């Protein structure tokens, strides 16, 4: 090749290397990380979660269980999962509050507003996107997606630049103030790979949260997808979330 | 073309730097330093090895089969033990270590059953200020089989909000069964056997048609033939509070 | 667990939580990128802008601007050396920063920027300055004794050739590097803009115009900084200022501001016209939390007022002293305005919730790593480095010591 071609290739290299990775279907894009050899075969699983908004009673037990299971700081600034309350009025005006940041006052029933036509709770958590923007922006590859569909953070290599936290459209990530690395819901990876349920699913009293395997044959999540109209959060951003909502209201962001 | 002396010198310096970098990258330093993959795989291992704090129902059941069976017969059958008793993995491996909490205070039950307007219709709730204030729930209800001392016979036992709404309306005296057909299964599997809603306008017409015999509704009669097209009445009128909220 | 969390952080977060209006995702209460990340694009912007100004001399033969050529280059270098520091200080694990170079993810704009930064510093700036100063370094080595002789010798890579052919080669090399340097400078600050512009999760950042706007405002800030320094240095050293040069810089600054203003105006008009879902909360953001820093400081004081002053200077025949004062004032206002622009982008993008339903707050700490004090120190440091560079590589040494050889 001549000098011009060489220079063109060099100039194109840097951004092209990045762009190539984004093309769907390229071999490198499909390179996901798997678990080491033992009797758990990650290639046989593709985990997701179903959330039935109609069933959530806003008891916050999932939030407490998650914090206990995963060592999330108790302070109301750090959540791997949380509950939102929506109150929609007939004219479309909607009020939203996060009930997980305030201490519960069970003896005091919250006031009722007669103008509200519908009101409900929505559990939120990391959507473990199939096309995660957080993984895309990590400069050192400390956050990545496993073969079985869970996005993890390597707390030994994360440099704490916080770019992934900025890139997440769902507010699912935070910087762990102890480890000073990015942190988020892992679907309780240490539990699901042993056949247990994530802590939030384990304690949910009304089966508002369904954990499952999209590659499963007799699987709760597959049935969930069969019998419900499914929505995801912010579909226009094309993150392909794997947390599937049933009975999700249009007001929910 | 002979390169000027300064360019040769600069070239040597640049070449030396490049050579050192390449040498370090490809020869001296181990390849694992330059790949994220082995670290990602190590992370997966590390993540899988994290300690469990919740044991899961199957683990509790190994020793507490009696409680499990008692729970399984009642309304709390689908609730994980650790929802109320807290994370118990430590106890499951060593029964003398860290006894799980016993949720005996009101707030433990009110967290789910205290009235909250955003809770789904039909979820059993009580008004904490009205329902035995100050008394602990466990004095009447067993957490494993929380059958109330008096099983409610009225729909208002679970549908308190609808009952309170209806109580303010002109339909206050109407029993639920007048309009809704409720199967037995609704008491045990509510979502699997939903009560029916009136299928025809004639159901409401029993009171609201011009030729109806009920005096109470005589002020609110409509000509069923011309009013409201082909819609069933409750598709526009909220029957629990037909006057509408102010 | 709480014992290990710094009390100052909990205090800051508690305060910021109390300032929340409406609904935010609970993790959004913490401002992830704070004052240090405002300083960083400010510094790299000045680097790119100063270099573009210098390139006008070398590539576009704008001879009037020759007097500030070396000043512009040294300014670029001084700010370039500091530009990486706020990033380093901001990291949760600064000791792991090397990982960006060891295991860079090609999909990450931040990772790729590390290489662009290195390329620009080593491949463009240092080599450009070397070719520009080589003749002077050789002469200074000849004229010095002891340690300084060694230092200047080393800096010149012990080259000795001062023949006309060698010097001509230096000029051609310098021009070539500048030609490569212009797109490199565009890449440098364009990438910073892309780091923000590529974030689809945040509509205040995620826009196609972001890299362009960042680049244009970088050019404005770079030219303003060189103008500011040129006037300041002439005052400090009691030297005569070349008014033709200053007027020319003023003209380029005026053109740059007009283009920058047009682009930013386009961004706002486009947003308002399209009226996407985020327009509600963003309008509330601009009219409440960002009003002072955006409308008053960035727009009025930082852009429109200097624009008026520069237009005035070109229209009305003021005397030299007044013109200098007006240029000084406008360059200072612009520097303030561009800093405010960085604040409005970085902090502004984190003052509203991605749920589009609420607003947050940022309480800047006064002391600590991520604090006002650190930011001020980082903003002052380039001037210190520039002072050292001026002592080491005096821009006018040739005119004083080898007037016949000076170009």
């Amino acid at each position: 090749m001549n000098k011009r071609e060489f220079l063109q290739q060099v100039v194109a290299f840097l951004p092209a290397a990045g762009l190539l990775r984004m093309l769907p279907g390229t071999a490198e894009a499909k390179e996901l990380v798997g678990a080491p050899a033992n009797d758990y075969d990650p290639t046989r699983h593709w985990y997701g979660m179903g959330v039935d908004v109609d069933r959530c009673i806003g008891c916050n037990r999932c939030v407490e269980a998650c914090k206990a299971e995963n060592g999330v700081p108790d302070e109301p600034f750090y959540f791997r999962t949380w509950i939102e309350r929506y109150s929609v009025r007939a004219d479309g005006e909607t009020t939203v509050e996060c009930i997980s940041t305030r201490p519960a006052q069970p003896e005091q029933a919250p006031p009722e507003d007669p103008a509200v036509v519908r009101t409900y709770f929505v559990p939120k958590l990391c959507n473990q996107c199939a096309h995660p923007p957080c993984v895309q922006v990590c400069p050192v590859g400390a956050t990545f997606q496993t073969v079985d569909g869970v996005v993890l953070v390597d707390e030994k290599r994360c440099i704490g630049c916080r770019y992934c936290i900025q890139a997440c459209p769902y507010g699912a990530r935070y910087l762990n103030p102890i480890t000073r690395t990015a942190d988020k819901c892992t679907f309780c990876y240490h539990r699901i790979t042993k056949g247990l349920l994530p802590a939030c699913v384990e304690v949910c009293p009304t089966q508002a949260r369904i954990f499952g395997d999209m590659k499963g044959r007799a699987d709760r999540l597959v049935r969930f997808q069969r019998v419900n109209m499914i929505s995801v959060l912010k579909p226009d951003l094309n993150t392909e979330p794997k947390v599937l909502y049933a009975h999700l209201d249009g007001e929910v962001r | 073309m002979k390169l000027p002396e300064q360019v040769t010198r600069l070239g040597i310096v640049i070449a030396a730097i490049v050579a050192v970098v390449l040498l370090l990258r490809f020869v001296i330093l181990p390849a694992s330093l330059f790949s994220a993959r082995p670290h990602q795989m190590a992370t997966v291992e590390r993540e899988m090895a994290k300690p469990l704090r919740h044991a899961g129902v199957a683990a509790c059941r190994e020793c507490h089969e009696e409680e499990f069976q008692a729970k399984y017969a009642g309304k709390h059958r689908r609730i994980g033990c650790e929802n109320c008793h807290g994370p118990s993995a430590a106890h499951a491996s060593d029964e003398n270590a860290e006894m799980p909490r016993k949720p005996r205070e009101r707030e433990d039950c009110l967290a789910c059953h205290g009235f909250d307007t955003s809770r789904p219709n039909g979820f059993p709730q009580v008004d904490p200020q009205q329902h035995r204030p100050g008394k602990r729930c466990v004095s009447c209800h067993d957490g494993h089989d929380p059958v109330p001392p008096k099983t409610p016979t009225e729909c208002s036992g679970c549908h308190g909000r609808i009952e309170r709404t209806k109580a303010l309306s002109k339909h206050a005296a109407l029993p639920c069964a007048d309009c809704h057909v409720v199967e037995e299964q609704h008491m045990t599997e509510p979502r699997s056997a939903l009560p029916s809603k009136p299928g025809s306008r004639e159901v409401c017409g029993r009171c609201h048609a011009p030729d109806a015999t009920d005096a109470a509704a005589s002020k609110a009669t409509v000509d069923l033939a011309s009013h409201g097209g082909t819609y069933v009445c409750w598709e526009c009128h909220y029957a629990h509070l037909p006057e509408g909220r102010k | 667990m709480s014992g290990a969390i710094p009390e100052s952080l909990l205090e800051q977060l508690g305060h910021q939580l109390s300032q929340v209006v409406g609904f935010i995702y609970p993790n959004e209460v913490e401002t992830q990128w704070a004052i240090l990340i405002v300083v960083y694009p400010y510094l790299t912007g000045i680097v790119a802008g100063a270099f573009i100004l210098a390139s006008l001399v070398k590539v576009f033969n704008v001879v009037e601007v020759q007097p500030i050529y070396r000043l512009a280059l040294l300014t670029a270098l001084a700010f370039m050396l500091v530009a990486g520091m706020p990033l380093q200080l901001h990291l949760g694990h600064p000791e792991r920063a090397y990982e960006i170079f060891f295991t860079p993810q090609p999909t990450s704009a931040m990772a790729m920027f590390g290489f662009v930064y290195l390329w620009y510093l080593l491949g463009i700036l240092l080599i450009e300055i070397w070719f520009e100063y080589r003749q002077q370094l050789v002469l200074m080595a000849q004229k010095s004794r002891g340690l300084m002789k060694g230092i200047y010798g080393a800096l010149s890579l012990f080259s000795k050739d001062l023949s006309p052919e060698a010097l001509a080669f230096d000029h051609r090399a310098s021009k070539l590097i500048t030609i490569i340097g212009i797109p490199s400078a565009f890449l440098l600050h364009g990438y910073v803009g892309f780091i923000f512009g590529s974030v689809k999760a945040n509509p205040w950042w995620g826009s196609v115009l972001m890299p362009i706007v960042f680049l244009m405002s970088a050019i404005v800030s770079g030219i303003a900084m060189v103008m500011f320094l040129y006037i300041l240095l002439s005052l400090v050293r009691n030297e005569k200022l070349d008014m033709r040069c200053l007027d020319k810089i003023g003209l380029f600054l005026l053109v740059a501001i007009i283009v920058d203003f047009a682009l930013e105006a386009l961004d706002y008009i486009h947003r308002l016209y399209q009226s996407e879902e985020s327009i509600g909360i963003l309008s509330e953001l601009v009219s409440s939390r960002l009003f002072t820093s955006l409308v008053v400081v960035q727009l009025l004081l930082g852009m429109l007022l200097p624009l008026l002053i520069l237009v005035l200077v070109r229209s009305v025949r003021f005397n030299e002293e007044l013109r200098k004062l007006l240029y000084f004032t406008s360059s200072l206002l612009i520097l303030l305005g561009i800093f405010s622009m960085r604040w409005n982008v970085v902090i502004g993008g984190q003052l509203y919730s991605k749920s589009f339903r609420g607003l947050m707050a940022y309480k800047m700490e006064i002391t600590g790593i991520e604090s006002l004090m650190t930011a001020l120190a980082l903003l002052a440091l380039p001037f210190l480095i520039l002072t050292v560079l001026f002592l080491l590589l005096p821009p006018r040494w040739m005119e004083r010591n080898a007037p016949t050889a000076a170009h």
Side-chain angles (χ1 to χ4, degrees):
Chain A
M1 68 177 98
N2 63 28
K3 220 174 7 180
R4 175 178 300 173
E5 286 167 14
F6 177 74
L7 280 171
Q8 281 173 347
Q9 286 194 25
V10 164
V11 165
F13 170 71
L14 276 171
L19 285 172
L20 271 177
R21 293 250 163 165
M22 288 179 241
L23 289 174
T26 59
E28 294 202 55
K30 292 266 191 282
E31 233 178 61
L32 301 167
V33 183
N38 55 28
D39 54 6
Y40 173 70
D41 182 5
T43 60
R44 299 181 58 177
H45 305 281
W46 187 241
Y47 296 119
M49 192 178 282
V51 177
D52 190 343
V53 175
D54 261 357
R55 291 179 180 252
C56 180
I57 58 171
C59 65
N60 246 357
R61 286 278 154 86
C62 49
V63 179
E64 292 162 14
C66 171
K67 288 210 178 199
E69 181 72 27
N70 295 293
V72 181
D74 287 324
E75 282 75 11
F77 318 121
Y78 308 107
F79 292 88
R80 290 189 175 198
T81 185
W82 66 94
I83 307 291
E84 300 172 2
R85 180 211 298 275
Y86 285 74
S87 303
V88 185
R89 288 189 281 288
D91 61 3
E93 282 293 308
T94 304
T95 314
V96 189
E97 68 165 309
C98 176
I99 62 166
S100 309
T101 49
R102 266 160 242 158
Q105 287 170 303
E107 291 286 352
Q108 198 66 35
E112 276 186 76
D113 179 356
V116 170
V117 286
R118 63 181 187 281
T119 171
Y120 47 87
F121 295 104
V122 182
K124 294 279 195 78
L125 65 160
C126 167
N127 288 273
Q128 308 287 353
C129 306
H131 188 207
C134 56
V135 171
Q136 189 179 11
V137 300
C138 178
V140 297
T143 192
F144 58 97
Q145 187 179 52
T146 62
V147 171
D148 39 9
V150 178
V151 178
L152 297 176
V153 181
D154 182 349
E155 65 179 29
K156 298 239 180 299
R157 287 188 66 247
C158 173
I159 63 175
C161 73
R162 310 189 192 221
Y163 202 5
C164 60
I165 306 175
Q166 300 289 10
C168 175
Y170 308 107
R173 287 174 169 260
Y174 58 92
L175 196 90
N176 188 313
I178 315 287
T179 62
R180 299 197 60 73
T181 55
D183 210 358
K184 67 176 199 67
C185 162
T186 58
F187 266 4
C188 283
Y189 197 72
H190 59 295
R191 298 181 63 85
I192 61 181
T193 49
K194 297 184 178 76
L196 298 171
L197 294 172
C200 55
V201 179
E202 180 70 43
V203 302
C204 178
T206 55
Q207 285 75 55
R209 294 178 184 249
I210 289 111
F211 178 74
D213 184 349
M214 295 173 182
K215 281 188 178 175
R217 301 251 308 266
D219 190 86
R220 297 186 65 192
L221 186 62
V222 175
R223 182 191 177 267
F224 186 82
Q225 291 180 80
R226 192 190 297 278
V227 301
N228 290 304
M229 296 294 202
I230 300 291
S231 313
V232 294
L233 297 173
K234 307 202 182 194
D236 52 300
L237 295 183
N238 197 30
T239 55
E240 294 171 32
K242 293 215 271 31
V243 172
L244 311 175
Y245 285 86
H247 308 116
L248 188 72
D249 191 50
E251 289 294 324
V252 179
R253 294 289 172 273
Chain B
M1 180 194 106
K2 185 179 177 303
L3 275 178
E5 165 240 28
Q6 70 267 33
V7 175
T8 319
R9 289 174 180 273
L10 185 64
I12 290 172
V13 171
I14 292 176
I17 293 174
V18 170
V20 166
V21 169
L22 288 175
L23 210 64
L24 282 169
R25 168 68 176 86
F26 293 106
V27 178
I28 298 174
L29 294 173
S32 67
L33 267 184
F34 301 102
S35 168
R37 286 291 242 95
H39 301 280
Q40 290 172 354
M41 296 179 73
T43 301
V44 169
E45 273 193 59
R46 226 176 22 245
E47 202 65 43
M48 285 169 80
K50 284 191 172 165
L52 303 171
R53 305 250 190 265
H54 291 81
V57 175
C60 305
R61 205 176 157 177
E62 278 174 29
C63 301
H64 297 279
E65 181 68 23
E66 210 184 291
E67 285 84 352
F68 178 84
Q69 291 300 337
K71 190 157 74 69
Y72 202 71
K75 289 268 196 287
H76 279 181
R77 70 179 164 284
R78 307 201 62 192
I79 302 180
C81 315
E82 289 158 301
N83 175 308
C84 305
H85 293 285
S88 307
H91 171 76
S93 33
D94 174 4
E95 63 175 88
N96 296 313
E98 281 189 58
M99 296 298 283
R101 68 165 188 257
K102 290 194 179 132
R104 297 236 157 101
E105 302 306 317
R106 274 174 72 86
E107 65 200 24
D108 295 312
C109 307
L110 290 176
C112 292
H113 293 288
F115 182 75
D116 188 313
T117 179
S118 307
R119 294 194 156 139
N121 171 26
F123 187 76
Q125 300 167 70
V126 294
D127 181 353
Q129 313 274 299
Q130 304 287 328
H131 188 90
R132 312 267 190 260
K135 204 161 177 217
R136 284 152 117 221
C137 314
V138 294
S139 57
C140 298
H141 301 272
D142 171 7
H144 294 147
D145 186 3
V147 174
K150 282 195 303 255
T151 307
T153 48
E154 300 297 321
C155 308
S156 56
C158 290
H159 295 281
R161 186 156 98 238
I162 292 179
E163 184 60 43
R164 281 197 296 283
T165 308
K166 190 158 77 68
L168 301 171
S169 78
K170 293 220 162 53
H171 282 177
L174 282 181
C176 310
D178 256 26
C179 301
H180 299 285
V181 175
V182 182
E183 290 168 42
E184 194 58 44
Q185 195 189 348
H186 183 71
M187 310 305 175
T188 46
E189 290 290 328
R191 286 172 187 259
S192 301
L194 292 173
S196 68
K197 291 206 257 287
S200 70
R201 297 149 68 88
E202 279 64 36
V203 173
C204 305
R206 287 176 305 178
C207 297
H208 290 284
D211 55 351
T213 50
D214 188 329
S218 62
K219 291 203 185 89
T221 56
V222 288
D223 176 19
L224 291 184
S226 57
H227 178 85
T230 53
Y231 288 104
V232 188
C233 312
W234 48 263
E235 288 181 298
C236 297
H237 299 277
Y238 183 49
H240 298 151
L241 188 66
E243 306 93 311
R245 293 181 193 251
K246 292 293 167 282
Chain C
M1 188 69 104
S2 318
I5 306 178
E7 194 57 47
S8 58
L9 176 62
L10 292 176
E11 232 179 88
Q12 183 198 37
L13 292 177
H15 175 88
Q16 291 184 189
L17 186 59
S18 70
Q19 298 291 303
V20 167
V21 163
F23 167 74
I24 68 171
Y25 299 137
N27 289 326
E28 286 181 318
V29 66
E30 180 167 10
T31 316
Q32 304 296 334
W33 285 350
I35 184 66
L36 291 180
I37 307 299
V38 175
V39 169
Y40 147 71
Y42 188 63
L43 297 177
T44 54
I46 291 173
V47 173
F51 187 86
I52 299 294
L53 183 62
S55 72
L56 289 171
V57 178
K58 266 279 138 65
V59 178
F60 299 102
N61 296 315
V62 182
V63 292
E64 295 94 325
V65 191
Q66 175 67 43
I68 53 90
Y69 179 69
R70 286 184 167 191
L71 169 63
L73 281 183
L74 292 181
T75 303
L77 181 62
F79 279 85
M80 189 66 168
L81 290 172
V82 183
M85 292 184 202
L87 297 178
Q88 186 68 13
L89 290 167
H90 164 80
L91 291 177
H93 281 272
E95 77 282 3
R96 297 178 189 170
Y98 64 89
E99 294 278 14
I100 285 194
F101 296 108
F102 276 42
T103 56
Q105 290 294 104
T107 56
S108 171
M110 196 181 279
M112 293 299 99
F113 177 77
F115 293 100
V116 174
Y117 177 92
L118 274 186
W119 158 254
Y120 193 80
L121 176 63
L122 302 175
I124 302 291
L125 264 187
L126 285 180
I127 296 183
E128 170 75 17
I129 292 174
W130 190 76
F131 274 111
E132 171 62 23
Y133 270 91
R134 190 190 70 88
Q135 180 191 25
Q136 181 174 323
L137 288 169
V138 174
L139 290 172
M140 287 178 89
Q142 284 172 359
K143 294 208 161 137
S144 309
R145 295 272 170 273
L147 178 68
M148 289 318 291
K149 189 181 180 74
I151 290 178
Y152 285 120
L155 284 176
S156 67
L157 298 181
F158 301 106
S159 71
K160 301 267 188 304
D161 193 350
L162 292 178
S163 63
E165 297 82 26
L167 294 178
F169 187 90
D170 285 346
H171 292 154
R172 282 204 311 276
S174 198
K175 182 165 182 167
L176 177 67
I177 292 171
T178 311
I179 291 174
I180 302 175
I182 295 173
S184 300
F186 274 46
L187 197 65
L188 181 78
H189 205 65
Y191 239 111
V192 177
F194 187 74
I195 285 177
F196 292 96
S198 61
V199 178
K200 63 187 174 188
N202 192 328
W204 189 238
W205 291 348
S207 122
V208 166
L209 274 176
M210 188 61 83
I212 318 285
V213 166
F214 254 63
L215 183 54
M216 229 27 247
S217 54
I219 292 173
V220 168
S221 67
I223 298 176
M225 179 59 82
V226 174
M227 175 190 261
F228 171 78
L229 285 169
Y230 188 39
I231 301 173
L232 189 69
L233 284 167
S234 81
L235 286 171
V236 161
R237 304 163 111 192
N238 226 346
E239 276 175 8
K240 180 116 178 67
L241 224 159
D242 184 338
M243 280 315 288
R244 223 168 50 124
C245 175
L246 197 58
D247 286 326
K248 204 69 177 178
I249 300 175
L251 175 62
F252 284 119
L253 188 55
L254 177 61
V255 171
I257 293 181
I258 290 172
V259 176
D260 187 28
F261 179 70
L263 285 168
E264 293 194 25
L266 179 64
D267 188 41
Y268 286 109
I269 292 168
H270 195 245
R271 278 178 200 278
L272 284 167
Y273 187 85
Q274 281 201 316
S275 193
E276 294 200 358
E277 191 186 350
S278 54
I279 197 67
I281 194 66
L282 292 180
S283 304
E284 217 185 299
L285 174 71
V286 170
S287 58
S288 62
R289 308 258 152 134
L290 279 189
F291 186 78
T292 311
S293 57
L294 202 147
V295 179
V296 178
V297 181
Q298 178 186 331
L299 190 61
L300 290 175
L301 291 177
M303 205 172 271
L304 290 178
L305 186 55
L307 180 66
L308 276 168
I309 294 175
L310 289 170
V311 168
L312 202 66
V313 169
R314 296 206 69 76
S315 338
V316 179
R317 201 157 286 277
F318 294 125
N319 67 40
E320 199 176 290
E321 283 309 305
L322 186 56
R323 279 207 327 274
K324 267 202 289 193
L325 178 66
L326 288 173
Y327 282 135
F328 189 78
T329 311
S330 45
S331 64
L332 204 58
L333 285 172
I334 289 167
L335 289 172
L336 182 67
I338 301 295
F339 186 83
S340 189
M341 184 263 186
R342 304 313 189 213
W343 174 280
N344 294 324
V345 171
V346 177
I347 304 294
Q350 298 172 88
L351 289 182
Y352 78 99
S353 168
K354 292 190 179 82
S355 69
F356 302 160
R357 292 185 189 275
L359 298 171
M360 297 90 85
Y362 168 51
K363 179 168 161 257
M364 181 166 52
E365 312 238 32
I366 305 295
T367 56
I369 298 179
E370 185 98 35
S371 73
L372 179 65
M373 291 287 115
T374 313
L376 289 173
L378 288 171
L379 289 169
L381 191 55
F383 297 99
L384 281 167
I385 294 177
L386 196 58
T387 312
V388 172
L389 287 174
F390 262 59
L391 290 170
L392 193 62
L393 305 169
R396 299 224 215 277
W397 190 89
M398 292 296 290
E399 285 145 44
R400 288 194 297 272
N401 295 281
T404 49
H407 49 267

